[in-house]
Amino acid sequence: MTSTDLNLLRALDALLAEASVAGAARRLGLSASAMSRTLARLRETTGDPLLVRAGRSMVLTPHAAALRERVPHVAGEVDAILGRADISLDLATLERTFTIRANDAFVAAYAAGLHAAVRREAPGIRLRFAPKPDKNPQPLREAAIDLEIGVLGESVPELKVQTLFRDHYVGAVRTGHPLMEGVLTPERYAAADHVLSSRRSGHVGPIDAALAALGLERRCTLTVPSFFTALAIAAESDLVALVTHSLAPTGTAGPNPPALQFFELPFPTDPVVISQIWHPRLDNDPAHRWLRSLIRACCRPRDELEAGGRGS
């Protein structure tokens, strides 16, 4: 069997991610000359140039581009197999920060309860919720985040996925909105002016697809970047907002009437499946496994409530 230096795999991972000898050197804490020598070894080993000069920068060869999606997974598996597993876990003394990427709906609905549960079991753990501008899996691969929570985006075979709960969309309008007078039909819903919560221009979501199946199209006259902004605007206007049910309050306690009225959509829609997603290098990490289990437990009561409320 030909002996292969597995350190080359980590170097290849950095070179493919950075597409730069200098960038890969910084990433691995090496000198530029050492990384250049490593690139030469990789070229000899693979029989491919991997990186070629294009003006002042470097670009990947077709072979390197084909490897780019595979190498992080293989490197993570090698680390998991050859690294010494520490199976001990003392939650009382554990000091660690977990970075979780989730949208504002999940953070608003679950962060407080999760934080309280973490504090009870592991007071030295810190949680950091990072913004979620998109569903790019690269931060998981690069260990920029420890866990992703939300709707699964593009299919990435190496990532681990566990369903947390199923949510669904509801409408929201100001109290006294004319849309709530009489029977709410798909036609009346679509004809109203809507405020869309989206970070992408021209975004078409599952509600638009459900309406299109009925030959209808909603009029989105205003687009904002978050659910909370959409709700605030709906409370002060005749615009109709769309949010996940987890954001809708469960009661109306208090001396003043609520500013918003939430309602079920008058047409069927697919459920919104919320999952937690992580890289396999953390699959057997004791602290990460504990956190995943705790998150699942914190989400389970709502999961059971939602399932019972819709008879699923």
Side-chain angles (χ1 to χ4, degrees), residues 177-201:
H177 194 288
L179 190 63
M180 295 291 95
E181 299 173 3
V183 178
L184 178 59
T185 64
E187 290 76 13
R188 290 186 63 211
Y189 174 83
D193 286 337
H194 295 259
V195 52
L196 174 66
S197 171
S198 176
R199 294 181 178 86
R200 294 175 289 167
S201 61

Side-chain angles (χ1 to χ4, degrees), residues 250-266:
T250 56
T252 57
N256 300 315
L260 286 168
Q261 182 175 352
F262 295 87
F263 60 91
E264 296 292 335
L265 300 177

